[in-house]
Amino acid sequence: MSQPPRNGRAPSVKDVAAAAGVSLGTVSNVLNRPSVVSATTRERVERAMSELGFVRNESARQLRAGTSRALAYVMLDGGNPFFHDVAEGIETAAEAADLSLFVCNSNSRAEREAKHLDRLVQQRVQGILITPVDPDAPHLAEIARRGIPFVMVDRLSSAGDHCSVAVDDVLGGRIAVEHLLDRGHRRVAFVGGPASIGQVRERLQGAREVWTEFGMAEDDLINLPTDALTVSEGRSAGERLAGLPSRRRPTAAFCANDLLALGLLQHAVTAGLRVPDDLAIVGFDDIDFAAAAAVPLTSVRQPRQELGRTAARLVLDEATNPDHVHEQATFVPALVARASTGTVRR
């Protein structure tokens, strides 16, 4: 049996070659091009590696190859299960390609996002996927300029100079509010913010479009901005709704994501309101918690893992295919009706 070096240092390629009785080139081929080595020799080298406890120096390999065996995803909000589901889809595709996945969280802060990107470039990741704070930020343009494979997730590229995957958020807003109108609601609140988030703006745009098309009074679609897309902000929105005069109080709310909707639902139940009789609620994303809520939540579903898998496919194609063409992939959202919006109001 081969013995590891006794001076405390990690076993090297030279140690493996000596233990297996082969050349350094043969060990290199086993590590990098195993198909060119005979099965008997390959088995002898691998046995020596195992007995010595040899671990390849991935950093050195990265320096030689100019890239690592990893992708990276910079998510917008680590507290939102939606982005974890997207990351799971990315990881599934990365694993199939024998790659690891680094996951970073910008926490909706542009300066933190930029620092993550700088570090990932230094790590020589094969490709970067990002749900950006600002899709037009200069540091994103710099990533593309350097030729690093790059895909925007949950936002479409307006310039088309890189790949992107997203759901049609305007259509999602239309679907949600049309559902409430079909349920007989004539005063509806839109709960969401900040307006700097493109998804929030587009979901509100869709809500306003369908509201106008149904001939509803503009003032009866009440915009209730929030500082973040969180459960606590949803509870705060519930307090503000309760403070409105009864003649102006909405009978339904469309929330820009499920976390807001769950917070609003919590406040409503605590305040003794009947959902959906006193207040109907629609969320967006259809995270797993939506169906498990005290009153199962109606939500606009996004294909979260499919977004991630598609984004990973595109970034891998850019990294490996010299004929790669940038693609803007758009998915269609779908309403999942549950108890929080009930049946048609009479």
Side-chain angles (χ1 to χ4, degrees):
M1 177 180 291
S2 304
Q3 296 296 319
R6 296 186 179 183
N7 58 2
R9 65 176 176 82
S12 67
V13 171
K14 187 180 294 187
D15 296 322
V16 173
V22 299
S23 68
L24 291 174
T26 298
V27 177
S28 177
N29 282 335
V30 170
L31 289 170
N32 300 298
R33 296 187 301 157
S35 62
V36 304
V37 184
S38 71
T40 301
T41 301
R42 187 168 66 246
E43 182 180 343
R44 190 164 74 247
V45 171
E46 289 173 347
R47 184 168 59 250
M49 289 179 181
S50 176
E51 292 174 353
L52 291 170
F54 171 82
V55 178
R56 77 180 294 163
N57 188 334
E58 184 62 18
S59 296
R61 191 207 67 79
Q62 289 179 29
L63 287 172
R64 291 192 301 271
T67 185
S68 72
R69 297 291 301 166
L71 300 178
Y73 174 44
V74 183
M75 64 174 63
L76 183 67
D77 178 6
N80 189 337
F82 167 80
F83 295 110
H84 292 270
D85 291 341
V86 171
E88 187 174 345
I90 296 171
E91 186 175 36
T92 297
E95 186 176 16
D98 195 27
L99 299 176
S100 298
L101 176 67
F102 297 152
V103 178
C104 307
N105 173 28
S106 73
N107 203 27
S108 300
R109 289 163 42 198
E111 71 281 1
R112 182 168 172 171
E113 176 182 278
K115 288 179 181 178
H116 281 314
L117 290 173
D118 284 343
R119 295 187 190 105
L120 293 172
V121 170
Q122 293 169 19
Q123 291 292 325
R124 292 180 168 89
V125 294
Q126 280 201 25
I128 295 174
L129 307 100
I130 183 169
T131 303
V133 177
D134 175 6
D136 299 317
H139 54 257
L140 297 183
E142 177 64 15
I143 295 294
R145 188 191 67 77
R146 291 186 182 189
I148 299 169
F150 164 56
V151 175
M152 197 175 293
V153 183
D154 202 33
R155 298 297 298 152
L156 287 178
S157 168
S158 56
D161 56 354
H162 54 263
C163 289
S164 63
V165 297
V167 163
D168 187 336
D169 284 306
V170 174
L171 177 59
R174 292 178 61 92
I175 290 170
V177 171
E178 185 168 354
H179 173 71
L180 292 172
L181 287 167
D182 287 345
R183 290 293 189 269
H185 296 281
R186 296 299 178 260
R187 282 195 308 278
V188 173
F190 175 81
V191 180
S196 58
I197 297 177
Q199 294 91 326
V200 173
R201 293 195 305 272
E202 292 179 3
R203 291 167 195 178
L204 175 57
Q205 177 188 335
R208 284 173 168 162
E209 285 179 0
V210 77
W211 194 258
T212 300
E213 290 170 11
F214 270 67
M216 308 305 296
E218 182 179 345
D219 290 347
D220 286 336
L221 179 61
I222 301 167
N223 184 16
L224 209 64
T226 61
D227 292 333
L229 298 168
T230 62
V231 172
S232 61
E233 282 291 306
R235 288 194 293 263
S236 176
E239 294 172 2
R240 284 183 282 158
L241 282 177
L244 292 174
S246 57
R247 61 182 177 81
R248 290 286 300 145
R249 196 173 302 146
T251 61
F254 165 41
C255 298
N257 79 348
D258 284 342
L259 296 183
L260 286 171
L262 291 169
L264 179 59
L265 176 61
Q266 284 180 8
H267 178 271
V269 171
T270 302
L273 296 178
R274 297 169 301 161
V275 177
D277 296 337
D278 299 321
L279 181 68
I281 303 173
V282 178
F284 204 108
D285 291 338
D286 196 33
I287 61 176
D288 290 341
F289 295 131
V295 180
L297 182 68
T298 294
S299 185
V300 178
R301 173 176 291 169
Q302 299 199 68
R304 304 177 303 279
Q305 293 194 18
E306 183 63 20
L307 282 170
R309 288 192 295 269
T310 301
R313 174 182 62 79
L314 292 174
V315 82
L316 288 169
D317 187 72
E318 184 175 355
T320 59
N321 179 8
D323 298 320
H324 171 81
V325 176
H326 292 321
E327 181 180 336
Q328 317 307 317
T330 304
F331 290 84
V332 176
L335 185 89
V336 181
R338 299 191 179 97
S340 70
T341 51
T343 56
V344 178
R345 290 166 63 94
R346 300 298 180 187

